[in-house]
Structures are given as C-alpha cells and as structure tokens.
Amino acid sequence: MKWLIDWLDHRTGHRKWIREALFENIPGGSQWRYVWGSTLTFTLFLQVVTGLFLWMSYSPGANNAWESVYFIQYEMNFGWLLRGIHHYAAQLMIILLVLHLMQVMIDGAYKAPREINFWFGLLLLQLTLALSLTGYLLPWDQKGFWATKVATSLLGVIPVLGDSLQKLVVGGSDYGHLTLTRFFVLHAGVLPGLVILLVVFHIYLFRRHGIKPKEPKTKPDEYFWPQQVFKDSVACLAVLVAILLLIVRHRLFDTEGPLGAELGAPADPSQPYDAARPEWYFLFLFQFLKYFKGGQEIWGAIYIPMGILGFMFLMPFIGKWKMGHRFNLLYMMVLAGGAAVLTGLAIQEDRSKPELRLAIEEAHQNAERVLELAQSESGIPVEGAVSLLWNDPLTQGPRLFARHCASCHRFGGKDGMGRVMDEEKDPQTASDLKGFATREWLTRFLNEESFHSPEMFGGTQFSEKGKMRRVVSKITDYDAEEKLALEKVIVAISAEASLPMQKTIDENDLEIIIEGRRILDEEESCMDCHLFHNEDEETEGPVLTGYGSEAWLIDFVGDPTHSRFYGEKNDRMPAFLKLGSLDLKSIELIVKWLREDWYRPESTP
Amino acid sequence: MISEQSNSASDRRGFFAGVLSIIIGGVVSIFPFAAGLAVFLDPIRRREKTGRGLIRVASLSSLPSDGSPKYFPVIASRRDAWNHYPSSPIGAVYLRRIPESEVQAFNVACPHAGCFVGYQKSQDHFLCPCHNSRFALNGHIDDKNSPSPRGMDELDVEIRNDEEIWVNFQTFQPGKEEKIPSA
C-alpha cells in the first residue's frame, strides 16, 4: 500500500496538496462561525451531483419538460428524493449565502486585502440567484411558467436593448421549446460552469489571505484538521438533515403537500394563474415592484436593485475607516430588514385576498387532477399533459359553465367554480343544474313549491305561463296512489339519462323503470305535449326519449329552439352551437361534467 | 507532566474529531450519489412486458405466392417513458408464404448485433448489411463463417378469417445462440 502511495506521490505530489489543505493555520482556533463557506461548498456539491442525475431523465421541450419531471417525481424509483434534494438544497443555499455574507461583513473579512474575494462572493450571490430563476422554469408547470414570464417581461423594460434581450432569453417572442432549451443551457451549463470557476478562485483567494479572526483571539491557533473539519462536517450534516426534513415534512407531520418538491399543473398560456408567485426569496422584489407606477417599473426592477448591489462592490473601500465599516454594517442591516419587511408585506397582502386562496386551491386541484389522468391507463399523449386537462370534463366543465352558463344557471348555488354569483348583477333566471336529470332533481322539478323557486324554474317564463305550471299545480293534489305512480315515472325518466352516478340504482330498479314507462305512456297530461319513444309525431314540449342523456343534452345545449325541445317557446337560452358561441367539443365537456361522467382512478381495473 | 496530560487529552479529542469528520463527511458525500444512483438504476427495475400479444400486420393476399419474403412494418401501441402512443412503429417483419403452415414471419433484426437485415432478391437470400451475416429464405444460417450465432428469429403467426396475418411480435437478445426474449 505504502509503495503505491509513494509511487503516486512521486508523480502527483498529492501529499503536499493534502498537507496544505488540512494543515492550514486557523488563527484563534476552530470556530462554529466559520462553517458557512463549507456548507455552501457542500450545497454546491449536492446541486452538481443531483443535477447531473436529474439531467439523465429531464427533457427540455414544451411538451416534454413537465412530462419528464412528472416521470422523475412519480414513476422513477426515489425520483422524489433526488428532485427533493435538488429543490430544497437550492432554497437552503440562499439562506446560507446570506449567513455567509453577514458573517464576512461582521468580521470585516471584506476589507483589504480581501476586496477581490468579496467581489467574487457578490458575483456568486448573483449567479446563485440566476440559477434559482432559471431552474424555476424547467419543470414547465403553471407556477414556474407564469413567474418566469414576469421575470423575462421585466427584461423588456430595459431601454433600447430590452426588447431584443427579452427575445434572446425567451428564444423568440413566445414561450416554447426554445425558452426551455435556452434556460436549460444556462441552468445546467453556463451558470454552474461560472459558479464552479468562481468558487475555485474564491477558495484559492480565501486560502491565500487566510481566515480573518475576531480580535482579540480567545483561543490558541489550530490547524484546519481535525477540529474545524469536524465542525464543518457536522454543519454539512445539519444542512442535509434539514433538506431531508423539508422533503418528508408533509408525511412526517401529516399535513397536506407533496413528498419532496411540488409539481403544479402543466404550463398553459391560455389559463389564468392568479397564484403565480416567485420563490419566497424573490418575494421582496415582487412586493417592491408593486410600488412603481406604469412606465417606472424599470426603477423597481432594474435601477434600484442594481444600484443597491452595485454599491456593495464599493464596501471594501468604504470599510477602510472605522465609521465606514459601521456604515456598511448598518447598510446591510437596513437592506436585510427592508427585504424582511417587504417579504412580510407580500405574504400578508396575499393572505388577505380570498380570491388568491381560491386560485391556489384551484391550482392544487388541477395539479392533482392532471396527475390522476397521467397515471391512468391511457397515459400522457404526445401533445403533452396539458391536453389531458383540456380534454377533461372535470377540469373544463366548471370553467366553461362559469363562463357561458352561470349568468343564468347555477351549479349547487354557485358558478361551477365554487364562487358565489353576484345576484344583483347576474340574478338566477334559470334552474340549478347540479344533479340535472337525477331522481332528486326531477322530484324537485315535479313539485309545485320547488318548481316555482329560483333554484328550478322560478326565474323562467314557464313559472308564469305555459302548461307545465298547470301540471305541477295538479300534482299537489295527487292522492297517495298517484304520488306513487309519479315516483315511478320520475325513476323511469331519470333512467333515460343513463347517468353514471345512478348506474347501480337504475340497474336494481329495472322493474320500476318499466312500470314507470308504461304509466308515462298512458298519462295524457304528459303525452299531450311530450314525446316518449314515439319520435315520428309532433311535439310541443321537449322530447323525453333519452332525456338528460349525453346526446340529448348536447343537442339541447346546441339548439334549445329546435322543435325537439322548446321550439318557439324557448325562454332566453341561446342556441349555443347554432349561434357559434360554443363549439361541439366544449358543449360535450360541459355535458359530461354535468352528468359527472369523467375519468375516476378507482374505476380502472 | 501536566502539559503532557493535556496534550494527550487534546490528541484524543483530535483523534475522535478526525474519525467523526471522516464518517460524517463520508455519509453526507455519498448521500446524493445514492439518491442519484437509485434513480439512475430505475430502468433495470422496470420490466416491460415483451410479448404484446398478436398484432395484425398484413393480409394474406398481399404476399407473393412464390414464397419470396416481403417486408412489413409493425404498428402497435407503445409506451415510451412518460408518453403513450396509441399507434406507433415498433419494428418490422419479413413475411413469406410456405406450403405447410401458410405463413412464416421473421423479425428483421439481425440476431448478431441487431442491424436491419436486407432481402437480396437477386440472390434469393437475406443479407445483413452490417457484418454480412447471410440467411436462407427459411431463416437458417446460410454461411459457414456466419457472424450471427443463430438463424433469423422466427415469430409465431396466426391466420384469422382466412385472410388476416397476425404476428406475435417479439425481440430477442442479440449475440446469443439461444433465442432469449429481451426483457
């Protein structure tokens, strides 16, 4: 063994290197205060290693990026752990950088002859922030997409060059494949390369000038090995433990949240995302920007932050005087305090916005839903996971309902998206469609009191005129036998809809359904106006054959003025397809959603 | 005497600090590699099913009656990591009519190193363009010095409705004398 090491040492001189590395003198002995630099080197090491492994499965591209991150996070063995380490180490790195900077400032280690090293440190701080910013976009989820969009849009406010600069970064005027390839090269190539280069020089210069101890020294000098190495390794262990705790915290404390880093719903430029917020360490800038009027953003986004940072480059010279050093410390305190206050304000302002909470909730729902769909048997199509949400009745139905139907109809008293409607502005003038064509819904419909309530037909002209109101008024006087017959008719009409949620009870009540059909067929007060499995005749009221079924509803929404439905008696409902205000696919999505006909994970074998 | 004692005490402390540093340093350095390797090794753990069942490839009438082979692509649903393709090319086969069992099917991949074997009409044999493995029309090795360790990989065929040719498309590990399905 010894001869091998001798052989190696003769050729590489590694003994001298190790000796120099380990037996560096630390004036005043080892200190816990000196660990920050080492923990930062350690997090950089973590990022390089986990980053390279992530790289093996990540695919930059507008319909592959989210999908590959999904695959890492949910399909690959321990992918959540790998991604979690990378995500949370990045967050801790920012905290450690601030601690390191503060330590250097307080100990006066930024002053001559260490100016250049201080500047390197400031550059490293900016590079780390740039790494965070570029990395935030790579999963191509709604959060990263919209947050980064804000960041790149701000580039556009730079005079003269802004527009071109923005196009260069984004890779065109629209976000897409090239945005991701460019951000990825920056994030995984250019920026880490620069960071490693600067860190090497940073450590070299640090070794050249040595540690700046706090005077007067309270302990005798020590070598770096073993006591300082011990302290450094314990600190690195603490960092790692903190990262692991952050990764598993939701499982550990049984709170709601992902195992490891979050992955939102895939980026969708057409879908508003009110929950767009930058990472917490950029919140102060986010808040700061709110105080600048249109046309002056450049002051909040570029000039002032650059000025503040630029001034820090002068600190080594200002710090030459005792008062100067104190001024520098005060400057840093004010800066840190200001950032903390702005961050607090941003959080507080967000907390006081109920819409934001709804938006965040919707974002979570979409993220969970797309996961269910991606994990389904049919998997992710080539167009990308965003198409899963676009074709999903559960996701699109409420959105479309809120936009096109909720100004008259309601869904469970709300607009479909869970928002309460303004009854002054958009009073309810048509029925509540939650549970449409179910037995319960039809029971409410065929009851005089509820028929005239705004939840059913109270807001329509059918409440004031027409034959239906006469029919329901007669129902009130039904005797027990007639009521029983009515119940059977309701079961039979409801079965026409073949609602997925009534599948089991419909199957069980087959006899009642047959009986109900027979009664309906013979009941003149119904058959006077409606048709039921005898399509060739003329009708006054809506056809009851297939009532509430997918095909019936699609045709109905498409054109309620059709002779099969209300014909000329149609109240105010627009013929959505005929007028072109909705396409067939959108109507299908609304109808499927109303019928609660969507993919459910437990229903797959 | 006193200084010697304190020296040995600080030596002992130094020794423990050193040993602990090495242990802790080792653990924290190995950890990201361990997490990365677990993900890296994921494809080994993942066992895709090789047999996709029978796939309809061609119709009987599209085969020449003289027994010469014809090439057909095989289209089937495919899962590629995160993507699902309802119909996508997954390989190709040579089909030929033979007297006894009607149709014979070969995977086009050379059992030597996986190149796409060509059919030489003029010489009436299969020839691999990469390393010149030669196969007779029945798929057997047609060359004493054949680089290929086995004949072309024959696939199970089923004729349905007297017309449709369904093939059990499979790939086999190249370079081995035995036909072992690749997992």
Side-chain angles (χ1 to χ4, degrees):
Chain A
M1 191 64 188
K2 189 177 176 299
W3 72 263
L4 188 71
I5 293 169
D6 284 344
W7 182 89
L8 201 66
D9 186 42
H10 192 236
R11 276 145 192 88
T12 63
H14 71 271
R15 280 202 179 105
K16 183 167 161 271
W17 280 81
I18 294 173
R19 218 170 22 247
E20 274 179 15
L22 291 179
F23 297 102
E24 190 215 6
N25 185 51
I26 302 181
S30 64
Q31 298 285 345
W32 284 105
R33 293 188 298 124
Y34 298 158
V35 300
W36 305 120
S38 298
T39 56
L40 276 167
T41 317
F42 173 62
T43 45
L44 176 63
F45 159 79
L46 281 181
Q47 294 308 66
V48 171
V49 174
T50 52
L52 281 172
F53 278 109
L54 284 169
W55 194 342
M56 289 183 208
S57 305
Y58 176 72
S59 170
N63 44 19
N64 266 340
W66 185 92
E67 292 72 10
S68 60
V69 175
Y70 152 79
F71 194 70
I72 295 170
Q73 179 78 21
Y74 295 103
E75 302 278 332
M76 296 185 95
N77 221 3
F78 288 104
W80 55 270
L81 178 64
L82 183 66
R83 186 164 165 258
I85 298 174
H86 199 75
H87 179 82
Y88 288 112
Q91 316 234 322
L92 284 189
M93 210 166 179
I94 308 283
I95 300 175
L96 293 170
L97 266 169
V98 172
L99 290 171
H100 185 54
L101 178 64
M102 287 301 183
Q103 167 67 23
V104 164
M105 293 297 302
I106 291 164
D107 284 359
Y110 63 99
K111 293 186 277 191
R114 297 180 177 83
E115 303 96 323
I116 294 181
N117 216 14
F118 179 68
W119 295 335
F120 276 13
L122 290 180
L123 288 175
L124 279 165
L125 173 76
Q126 292 175 66
L127 286 172
T128 310
L129 290 176
L131 274 163
S132 304
L133 195 83
T134 47
Y136 202 50
L137 175 75
L138 296 182
W140 203 245
D141 58 357
Q142 280 283 70
K143 197 165 89 164
F145 179 85
W146 289 102
T148 316
K149 204 149 187 193
V150 172
T152 53
S153 300
L154 287 174
L155 271 180
V157 304
I158 297 174
V160 192
L161 292 176
D163 204 32
S164 314
L165 210 60
Q166 195 189 351
K167 276 206 179 105
L168 284 177
V169 171
V170 172
S173 29
D174 283 331
Y175 262 51
H177 291 315
L178 287 177
T179 320
L180 276 166
T181 50
R182 281 171 182 242
F183 268 64
F184 189 47
V185 166
L186 284 174
H187 184 78
V190 178
L191 295 172
L194 285 173
V195 165
I196 289 167
L197 198 71
L198 280 180
V199 164
V200 168
F201 278 111
H202 195 65
I203 294 174
Y204 162 76
L205 287 175
F206 158 67
R207 284 298 173 111
R208 182 179 160 83
H209 299 297
I211 274 185
K212 174 99 174 38
K214 216 173 165 184
E215 302 289 349
K217 291 186 268 188
T218 48
K219 281 201 309 180
D221 290 6
E222 268 179 323
Y223 288 130
F224 183 56
W225 174 265
Q227 294 299 345
Q228 189 62 48
V229 175
F230 173 69
K231 290 187 170 72
D232 285 357
S233 55
V234 168
C236 293
L237 182 67
V239 169
L240 186 64
V241 169
I243 291 170
L244 294 179
L245 279 176
L246 284 168
I247 292 172
V248 299
R249 70 186 190 281
H250 292 302
R251 296 289 175 280
L252 210 59
F253 303 112
D254 214 20
T255 47
E256 206 170 306
L259 183 61
E262 192 185 2
L263 178 63
D268 185 343
S270 73
Q271 203 47 51
Y273 189 71
D274 301 347
R277 290 291 177 272
E279 279 286 50
W280 58 267
Y281 42 82
F282 283 123
L283 271 181
F284 71 98
L285 273 178
F286 165 81
Q287 182 70 14
F288 191 54
L289 260 182
K290 291 182 190 167
Y291 303 116
F292 292 86
K293 278 194 294 191
Q296 293 177 349
E297 307 93 338
I298 189 157
W299 285 92
I302 316 265
Y303 293 157
I304 296 175
M306 286 307 238
I308 287 172
L309 203 71
F311 180 80
M312 286 168 71
F313 280 82
L314 301 176
M315 282 183 167
F317 305 121
I318 299 167
K320 275 184 183 160
W321 302 280
K322 200 170 180 185
M323 281 312 289
H325 176 61
R326 285 191 183 154
F327 172 79
N328 284 342
L329 285 184
L330 187 72
Y331 183 85
M332 292 303 288
M333 296 293 193
V334 170
L335 211 58
V341 168
L342 283 172
T343 308
L345 281 175
I347 294 170
Q348 201 189 21
E349 205 181 306
D350 280 353
R351 280 218 182 117
S352 62
K353 284 185 197 161
E355 324 84 82
L356 186 76
R357 216 164 327 136
L358 264 178
I360 290 172
E361 204 177 296
E362 195 200 335
H364 281 302
Q365 276 169 7
N366 287 339
E368 273 169 35
R369 182 60 182 164
V370 76
L371 209 62
E372 283 178 357
L373 296 168
Q375 285 168 339
S376 76
E377 203 47 29
S378 45
I380 303 174
V382 197
E383 312 89 82
V386 73
S387 69
L388 292 175
L389 287 179
W390 270 106
N391 296 320
D392 178 35
L394 180 60
T395 311
Q396 297 304 329
R399 290 178 186 168
L400 290 163
F401 186 89
R403 267 211 311 280
H404 298 280
C405 317
S407 59
C408 303
H409 289 281
R410 297 291 180 273
F411 186 84
K414 296 189 174 144
D415 73 339
M417 298 289 290
R419 289 176 296 227
V420 178
M421 292 295 292
D422 182 353
E423 292 292 338
E424 297 262 305
K425 221 177 116 225
D426 291 307
Q428 178 170 4
T429 54
S431 55
D432 192 311
L433 294 177
K434 189 177 166 69
F436 177 75
T438 57
R439 296 175 182 184
E440 295 75 26
W441 195 91
L442 287 168
T443 309
R444 282 200 300 278
F445 177 70
L446 293 169
N447 172 296
E448 190 175 16
E449 195 185 331
S450 45
F451 177 84
H452 291 292
S453 80
E455 279 72 46
M456 296 310 280
F457 280 61
T460 68
Q461 62 180 18
F462 303 110
S463 178
E464 264 124 54
K465 53 183 185 185
K467 291 183 185 159
M468 202 59 213
R469 59 188 283 272
R470 284 207 296 277
V471 172
V472 292
S473 75
K474 258 197 275 171
I475 289 173
T476 316
D477 306 323
Y478 273 7
D479 60 25
E481 198 186 328
E482 283 170 319
K483 276 190 180 143
L484 193 69
L486 178 68
E487 269 172 41
K488 286 178 181 167
V489 168
I490 286 174
V491 170
I493 297 177
S494 183
E496 289 292 305
S498 319
L499 291 169
M501 57 183 139
Q502 286 190 165
K503 193 167 182 282
T504 333
I505 53 170
D506 279 347
E507 276 166 9
N508 291 342
D509 294 344
L510 204 59
E511 280 172 31
I512 303 176
I513 292 168
I514 293 168
E515 173 74 1
R517 279 183 186 172
R518 194 188 54 74
I519 300 169
L520 179 63
D521 217 21
E522 290 166 3
E523 179 57 49
E524 274 175 26
S525 61
C526 300
M527 290 300 113
D528 261 1
C529 303
H530 296 283
L531 292 184
F532 190 61
H533 293 283
N534 44 353
E535 301 299 86
D536 42 347
E537 290 171 37
E538 286 286 302
T539 177
E540 248 184 287
V543 165
L544 294 181
T545 319
Y547 176 84
S549 66
E550 191 177 320
W552 189 94
L553 268 169
I554 289 173
D555 289 346
F556 182 86
V557 177
D559 183 11
T561 65
H562 191 278
S563 59
R564 277 177 63 207
F565 303 112
Y566 287 129
E568 283 170 3
K569 294 203 183 78
N570 180 46
D571 194 350
R572 278 149 290 174
M573 175 143 168
F576 282 98
L577 189 67
K578 208 168 139 197
L579 298 175
S581 40
L582 275 174
D583 58 7
L584 190 61
K585 193 187 155 193
S586 303
I587 295 178
E588 247 174 55
L589 287 164
I590 298 173
V591 163
K592 283 195 165 160
W593 171 67
L594 286 174
R595 294 168 41 79
E596 299 193 15
D597 182 9
W598 57 69
Y599 167 77
R600 286 177 179 79
E602 60 273 12
S603 63
T604 50
Chain B
M1 195 65 187
I2 289 161
S3 80
E4 244 176 55
Q5 253 180 4
S6 72
N7 257 350
S8 77
S10 93
D11 276 354
R12 208 164 44 240
R13 269 193 298 136
F15 176 75
F16 280 123
V19 169
L20 280 174
S21 304
I22 290 168
I23 294 172
I24 297 171
V27 168
V28 300
S29 314
I30 287 169
F31 197 83
F33 284 102
L37 276 174
V39 180
F40 174 67
L41 296 176
D42 182 79
I44 295 179
R45 180 189 68 103
R46 212 168 272 278
R47 297 227 170 263
E48 303 284 335
K49 50 176 197 254
T50 46
R52 292 160 193 268
L54 292 165
I55 298 165
R56 189 180 167 175
V57 173
S59 51
L60 212 51
S61 54
S62 56
L63 286 189
S65 51
D66 64 353
S68 60
K70 208 170 159 188
Y71 146 86
F72 291 95
V74 178
I75 313 285
S77 73
R78 188 166 66 97
R79 204 169 263 281
D80 180 6
W82 49 86
N83 273 140
H84 180 260
Y85 300 83
S87 77
S88 148
I90 57 167
V93 288
Y94 283 112
L95 298 181
R96 64 187 282 260
R97 274 177 189 265
I98 47 168
E100 312 92 65
S101 65
E102 292 192 316
V103 172
Q104 199 174 22
F106 300 108
N107 192 327
V108 295
C110 182
H112 173 226
C115 288
F116 197 119
V117 174
Y119 166 57
Q120 305 258 305
K121 201 166 182 143
S122 54
Q123 275 138 55
D124 224 19
H125 63 203
F126 293 108
L127 181 72
C128 179
C130 293
H131 311 99
N132 301 332
S133 295
R134 215 166 64 209
F135 307 95
L137 286 191
N138 61 9
H140 294 181
I141 294 174
D142 192 20
D143 174 9
K144 260 187 282 173
N145 302 317
S146 166
S148 177
R150 61 173 192 262
M152 286 181 75
D153 294 321
E154 194 171 342
L155 305 168
D156 294 337
V157 180
E158 199 181 296
I159 309 292
R160 292 186 187 171
N161 306 325
D162 291 332
E163 175 60 18
E164 301 161 5
I165 305 173
W166 293 68
V167 175
N168 182 18
F169 187 76
Q170 267 187 300
T171 51
F172 300 90
Q173 292 179 16
K176 308 223 161 98
E177 257 178 77
E178 296 292 308
K179 238 169 101 177
I180 309 165
S182 32

